[in-house]
């Protein structure tokens, strides 16, 4: 059975949602991310070298990072239909969106909130405005990033926009808010909330 290192109010919520979308059985392993002893646990560090949540254990292995976990889950449980097959032309777009949160959105938002000087040619994430433009363009057609097909990339982006909305930093753009609404209305997201609440 899958085992997920988890703590409330962390990105582990995203991973719970991901697992719920696959329909797989799983167990939560609470790990207090503010407790240095818990974070130093060798079994945890073996799968999460940076000591960060979420981290997932599966038979014979494990991995950390929500994007990596999402990619693994979608490929491990193909019957859930959360990833276009390798030969599907939509696979490239899907992969691009899977890494967009960690590779582009998070650093771009850090740039904006931190008041860093924008340097779109030097910085791998471009800049905040180009990140937002790509997001708006990607969601313009909808209802999901790949059109009618919901994928694990929607969990990545949807959970990111949901977090931002909770922190009050999601721009007042109806397109982004409507998408976030659709995401949190997913039964799997609601099951994730219930599971977290115990
Ligand atoms: N890119 C990682 C980021 C993971 C991350 O930063 N997790 C936070 C919790 S939301 C954490 O574990 N922070 C504890 C720390 O770094 O001390 C992912 O998406 O999983």
């Amino acid at each position: 059975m899958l085992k997920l290192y988890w703590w409330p109010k962390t990105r582990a919520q995203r991973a719970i949602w991901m697992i719920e979308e696959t329909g797989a059985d799983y167990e939560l392993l609470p790990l207090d991310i503010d407790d240095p002893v818990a974070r130093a646990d060798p079994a945890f560090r073996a799968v999460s070298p940076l000591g960060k949540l979420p981290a997932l254990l599966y038979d014979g292995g494990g991995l950390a990072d929500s994007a990596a976990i999402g990619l693994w889950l979608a490929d491990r449980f193909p019957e859930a239909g959360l990833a276009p097959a390798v030969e599907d032309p939509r696979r490239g777009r899907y992969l691009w969106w899977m890494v967009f949160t960690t590779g582009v959105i998070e650093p771009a938002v850090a740039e904006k909130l931190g008041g860093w000087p924008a340097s779109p040619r030097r910085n791998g994430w471009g800049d905040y405005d180009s990140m937002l433009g790509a997001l708006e363009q990607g969601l313009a057609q909808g209802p999901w990033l790949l059109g009618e097909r919901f994928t694990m990339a929607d969990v990545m982006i949807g959970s990111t926009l949901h977090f931002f909305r909770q922190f009050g930093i999601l721009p007042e753009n109806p397109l982004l808010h409507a998408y976030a609404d659709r995401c949190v209305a997913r039964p799997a997201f609601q099951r994730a909330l219930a599971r977290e609440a115990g």
Side-chain angles (χ1 to χ4, degrees), residues 118-131:
S119 185
R121 304 252 339 251
R122 185 170 58 93
N123 293 331
W125 62 88
D127 62 8
Y128 181 84
D129 290 341
S130 50
M131 175 278 290

Side-chain angles (χ1 to χ4, degrees), residues 134-196:
L135 206 45
E136 288 167 356
Q137 194 180 15
L139 293 172
Q141 189 185 345
W144 308 114
L145 289 164
L146 298 190
E148 293 299 324
R149 181 167 180 184
F150 180 88
T151 68
M152 196 61 98
D154 292 297
V155 180
M156 282 303 299
I157 301 297
S159 58
T160 304
L161 300 193
H162 172 65
F163 288 146
F164 287 173
R165 192 150 65 167
Q166 287 185 313
F167 298 143
I169 58 168
L170 187 64
E172 280 307 323
N173 176 326
L175 191 68
L176 301 184
H177 283 265
Y179 175 73
D181 287 342
R182 280 195 293 283
C183 287
V184 301
R186 303 263 316 164
F189 180 80
Q190 294 300 323
R191 288 196 299 274
L193 290 188
R195 184 74 184 253
E196 279 203 300

Side-chain angles (χ1 to χ4, degrees), residues 9-11 14 33 39 51-54 65-67 102 106:
K9 297 185 180 9
T10 69
R11 290 170 179 83
R14 174 184 292 152
I33 205 63
R39 285 190 72 209
K52 285 182 173 285
L53 295 176
D65 191 279
S66 58
T102 51
E106 290 183 356

